[in-house]
Amino acid sequence: MAEPGVCVSVNGPSLTFQNIRYTVQERRNLCTCSGEEKEILKNVSGLMKTGMNAIMGPTGSGKTSLLDVIAGRKDPRGLRSGRVLVDGQLVTAELRLSSAYVVQDDILMGTLSVRESLLFSANLRLPQRQNSSSAKKQRVESIIQELGLQDCADTKIGTEFLRGVSGGERKRCSIGMELITSPSLLFLDEPTTGLDSNTANSIMALLHRLSRSGKTIIFSIHQPRYSIFRRFDQLTLLHKGEIIYAGPSNDTMGYFQSL
Ligand SMILES: Nc1ncnc2c1ncn2[C@@H]1O[C@H](COP(=O)(O)OP(=O)(O)OP(=O)(O)O)[C@@H](O)[C@H]1O
Ligand SMILES: [Mg+2]
């Protein structure tokens, strides 16, 4: 495993967010729609570089909100100030196409197999004109290889009534569905929550490997064990909607000790 902080040889996109203030309207009265404005992100700024960028903080500190705002998934009406730049440019629809977002609760069709799910994603996302159906199938096979899903490729995802793939395989399938378009920017909300420590480790090893091929991986995570923490390059620590630390993850202890 590469040591933390070691430069990634291939450069991917860098994402900057500046003076982000995000608020939501808390509806007290359903009839008049009146309510108070609640500030969720309080003037936060930061930089995410090629590699592993972790966002940590206690529950309710604004991790998912920050991830959603920088990925452009939040209602823009709540954005009071700030902007998000990728490689110094304002995010356009085209730029958004080169990014992908893996949500915390996987949304998968239980009656499809892993291979069928990936093909479904390929058919929806890869433009028909540039990608023949055999090219799409090839892309699916390479994702199966890359994510080590060979043994469960033809297993159904599963539902409450139908036993299917394991939790880790399910998460890898969700990640694979997003990787179909070869995004250079990948957002993940709590990719390890609900997984046992060994599976969590293998998911993070996969993300680490992807980051080394020049991808910018940005994720929120809860209580990672040290072997996982070691894989982070950059850490953003949130507390009540404010950033209390942002920088190389291996400098975190030194920073807090120096205070
Ligand atoms: N639409 C909304 N309306 C009201 N409050 C909201 C809304 N969205 C987020 N919040 C509040 O903003 C705060 C931050 O929420 P967020 O989901 O970003 O936290 P989090 O750090 O991801 O927490 P967790 O670790 O539990 O996932 C929370 O207090 C939450 O209740
Ligand atoms: Mg969250």
Side-chain angles (χ1 to χ4, degrees), residues 26-50:
E26 270 200 313
R27 287 195 186 157
R28 290 274 158 80
N29 188 328
L30 283 177
C31 302
T32 61
C33 291
S34 64
E36 273 175 27
E37 210 167 65
K38 182 177 170 189
E39 196 165 18
I40 293 178
L41 295 172
K42 300 169 185 166
N43 201 16
V44 294
S45 304
L47 169 66
M48 305 287 185
K49 297 189 231 171
T50 313

Short mmCIF file of all heavy atoms in Angstrom, two decimals, residues 26-50:
data_model
loop_
_atom_site.label_atom_id
_atom_site.label_comp_id
_atom_site.label_asym_id
_atom_site.label_seq_id
_atom_site.Cartn_x
_atom_site.Cartn_y
_atom_site.Cartn_z
N GLU A 26 -36.74 25.91 7.79
CA GLU A 26 -37.40 24.96 8.68
C GLU A 26 -38.85 25.36 8.85
O GLU A 26 -39.14 26.42 9.43
CB GLU A 26 -36.71 24.94 10.04
CG GLU A 26 -35.60 23.91 10.09
CD GLU A 26 -35.26 23.55 11.51
OE1 GLU A 26 -35.10 24.47 12.34
OE2 GLU A 26 -35.14 22.36 11.80
N ARG A 27 -39.76 24.55 8.32
CA ARG A 27 -41.17 24.92 8.34
C ARG A 27 -41.78 24.63 9.70
O ARG A 27 -41.91 23.49 10.10
CB ARG A 27 -41.92 24.17 7.26
CG ARG A 27 -41.57 24.74 5.93
CD ARG A 27 -42.52 24.32 4.87
NE ARG A 27 -42.01 24.82 3.60
CZ ARG A 27 -42.32 24.30 2.43
NH1 ARG A 27 -43.12 23.28 2.35
NH2 ARG A 27 -41.81 24.81 1.34
N ARG A 28 -42.15 25.68 10.39
CA ARG A 28 -42.80 25.52 11.70
C ARG A 28 -44.30 25.36 11.51
O ARG A 28 -44.96 24.61 12.18
CB ARG A 28 -42.53 26.76 12.58
CG ARG A 28 -41.09 26.85 13.02
CD ARG A 28 -40.87 26.04 14.32
NE ARG A 28 -39.49 25.69 14.50
CZ ARG A 28 -38.56 26.50 14.97
NH1 ARG A 28 -38.89 27.70 15.34
NH2 ARG A 28 -37.32 26.09 15.09
N ASN A 29 -44.82 26.15 10.53
CA ASN A 29 -46.26 26.15 10.30
C ASN A 29 -46.54 25.64 8.88
O ASN A 29 -46.18 26.28 7.89
CB ASN A 29 -46.76 27.60 10.47
CG ASN A 29 -48.28 27.65 10.42
OD1 ASN A 29 -48.91 26.84 9.74
ND2 ASN A 29 -48.84 28.58 11.17
N LEU A 30 -47.17 24.49 8.80
CA LEU A 30 -47.39 23.87 7.50
C LEU A 30 -48.38 24.66 6.63
O LEU A 30 -48.31 24.62 5.41
CB LEU A 30 -47.89 22.43 7.67
CG LEU A 30 -46.81 21.41 8.05
CD1 LEU A 30 -47.43 20.05 8.25
CD2 LEU A 30 -45.70 21.34 7.01
N CYS A 31 -49.32 25.40 7.29
CA CYS A 31 -50.34 26.12 6.52
C CYS A 31 -49.75 27.38 5.88
O CYS A 31 -49.95 27.65 4.71
CB CYS A 31 -51.51 26.50 7.42
SG CYS A 31 -52.23 25.05 8.17
N THR A 32 -48.98 28.15 6.69
CA THR A 32 -48.47 29.41 6.15
C THR A 32 -47.08 29.25 5.54
O THR A 32 -46.57 30.17 4.93
CB THR A 32 -48.37 30.47 7.27
OG1 THR A 32 -47.46 29.95 8.25
CG2 THR A 32 -49.72 30.74 7.90
N CYS A 33 -46.51 28.04 5.67
CA CYS A 33 -45.16 27.77 5.17
C CYS A 33 -44.12 28.67 5.82
O CYS A 33 -43.05 28.87 5.29
CB CYS A 33 -45.07 27.91 3.65
SG CYS A 33 -45.97 26.64 2.81
N SER A 34 -44.48 29.30 6.96
CA SER A 34 -43.50 30.16 7.61
C SER A 34 -42.55 29.32 8.43
O SER A 34 -42.88 28.20 8.82
CB SER A 34 -44.21 31.17 8.50
OG SER A 34 -44.85 30.47 9.55
N GLY A 35 -41.40 29.86 8.68
CA GLY A 35 -40.44 29.12 9.48
C GLY A 35 -39.13 29.85 9.54
O GLY A 35 -38.96 30.91 8.94
N GLU A 36 -38.21 29.27 10.29
CA GLU A 36 -36.92 29.92 10.46
C GLU A 36 -35.92 29.39 9.47
O GLU A 36 -36.01 28.24 9.04
CB GLU A 36 -36.40 29.61 11.87
CG GLU A 36 -36.88 30.55 12.90
CD GLU A 36 -36.43 30.11 14.28
OE1 GLU A 36 -35.37 29.44 14.38
OE2 GLU A 36 -37.13 30.43 15.24
N GLU A 37 -34.96 30.23 9.16
CA GLU A 37 -33.89 29.79 8.28
C GLU A 37 -32.81 29.16 9.15
O GLU A 37 -32.42 29.72 10.17
CB GLU A 37 -33.32 30.99 7.53
CG GLU A 37 -32.79 30.60 6.19
CD GLU A 37 -32.51 31.79 5.31
OE1 GLU A 37 -31.61 32.56 5.67
OE2 GLU A 37 -33.18 31.92 4.27
N LYS A 38 -32.38 27.95 8.78
CA LYS A 38 -31.36 27.27 9.58
C LYS A 38 -30.10 27.17 8.74
O LYS A 38 -30.14 26.68 7.61
CB LYS A 38 -31.88 25.88 9.93
CG LYS A 38 -30.96 25.06 10.79
CD LYS A 38 -31.62 23.74 11.13
CE LYS A 38 -30.66 22.78 11.78
NZ LYS A 38 -31.21 21.44 11.90
N GLU A 39 -28.99 27.65 9.30
CA GLU A 39 -27.73 27.62 8.55
C GLU A 39 -27.04 26.27 8.78
O GLU A 39 -26.74 25.92 9.92
CB GLU A 39 -26.84 28.78 8.98
CG GLU A 39 -25.71 29.01 8.01
CD GLU A 39 -25.02 30.35 8.18
OE1 GLU A 39 -25.15 30.97 9.27
OE2 GLU A 39 -24.32 30.77 7.26
N ILE A 40 -26.81 25.55 7.72
CA ILE A 40 -26.21 24.21 7.84
C ILE A 40 -24.72 24.25 7.56
O ILE A 40 -23.94 23.57 8.23
CB ILE A 40 -26.94 23.25 6.89
CG1 ILE A 40 -28.37 23.08 7.38
CG2 ILE A 40 -26.25 21.90 6.83
CD1 ILE A 40 -29.21 22.20 6.54
N LEU A 41 -24.32 25.04 6.57
CA LEU A 41 -22.88 25.22 6.31
C LEU A 41 -22.56 26.70 6.48
O LEU A 41 -23.19 27.56 5.86
CB LEU A 41 -22.54 24.75 4.89
CG LEU A 41 -22.72 23.26 4.63
CD1 LEU A 41 -22.54 22.95 3.15
CD2 LEU A 41 -21.74 22.41 5.44
N LYS A 42 -21.60 26.97 7.38
CA LYS A 42 -21.35 28.37 7.77
C LYS A 42 -20.06 28.90 7.16
O LYS A 42 -19.01 28.82 7.79
CB LYS A 42 -21.29 28.46 9.30
CG LYS A 42 -22.59 27.99 9.95
CD LYS A 42 -22.45 27.83 11.44
CE LYS A 42 -23.72 27.25 12.01
NZ LYS A 42 -23.56 26.76 13.37
N ASN A 43 -20.15 29.36 5.94
CA ASN A 43 -19.01 30.01 5.28
C ASN A 43 -17.78 29.09 5.22
O ASN A 43 -16.73 29.40 5.77
CB ASN A 43 -18.68 31.31 6.03
CG ASN A 43 -17.90 32.26 5.15
OD1 ASN A 43 -17.86 32.08 3.92
ND2 ASN A 43 -17.25 33.23 5.74
N VAL A 44 -17.94 27.95 4.58
CA VAL A 44 -16.82 27.00 4.53
C VAL A 44 -16.11 27.08 3.17
O VAL A 44 -16.73 27.30 2.15
CB VAL A 44 -17.27 25.54 4.81
CG1 VAL A 44 -17.77 25.38 6.22
CG2 VAL A 44 -18.35 25.08 3.83
N SER A 45 -14.78 26.93 3.22
CA SER A 45 -13.97 26.93 2.00
C SER A 45 -12.99 25.78 2.07
O SER A 45 -12.63 25.34 3.17
CB SER A 45 -13.17 28.23 1.89
OG SER A 45 -14.03 29.34 1.94
N GLY A 46 -12.55 25.31 0.94
CA GLY A 46 -11.57 24.23 0.96
C GLY A 46 -11.15 23.81 -0.43
O GLY A 46 -11.64 24.34 -1.43
N LEU A 47 -10.21 22.87 -0.44
CA LEU A 47 -9.64 22.38 -1.69
C LEU A 47 -9.55 20.87 -1.63
O LEU A 47 -9.06 20.31 -0.64
CB LEU A 47 -8.24 23.00 -1.88
CG LEU A 47 -7.35 22.44 -2.98
CD1 LEU A 47 -7.94 22.75 -4.34
CD2 LEU A 47 -5.95 23.03 -2.88
N MET A 48 -10.05 20.20 -2.66
CA MET A 48 -9.96 18.74 -2.75
C MET A 48 -9.05 18.41 -3.94
O MET A 48 -9.34 18.85 -5.06
CB MET A 48 -11.35 18.12 -2.98
CG MET A 48 -12.38 18.52 -1.95
SD MET A 48 -12.10 17.72 -0.38
CE MET A 48 -13.52 18.23 0.55
N LYS A 49 -8.00 17.62 -3.68
CA LYS A 49 -7.03 17.33 -4.74
C LYS A 49 -7.13 15.88 -5.19
O LYS A 49 -7.79 15.07 -4.53
CB LYS A 49 -5.62 17.59 -4.20
CG LYS A 49 -5.36 19.01 -3.81
CD LYS A 49 -3.90 19.19 -3.50
CE LYS A 49 -3.73 19.86 -2.16
NZ LYS A 49 -2.37 19.90 -1.68
N THR A 50 -6.41 15.55 -6.24
CA THR A 50 -6.37 14.16 -6.71
C THR A 50 -5.95 13.26 -5.55
O THR A 50 -5.01 13.58 -4.84
CB THR A 50 -5.32 14.01 -7.83
OG1 THR A 50 -5.51 15.06 -8.75
CG2 THR A 50 -5.46 12.67 -8.53
#
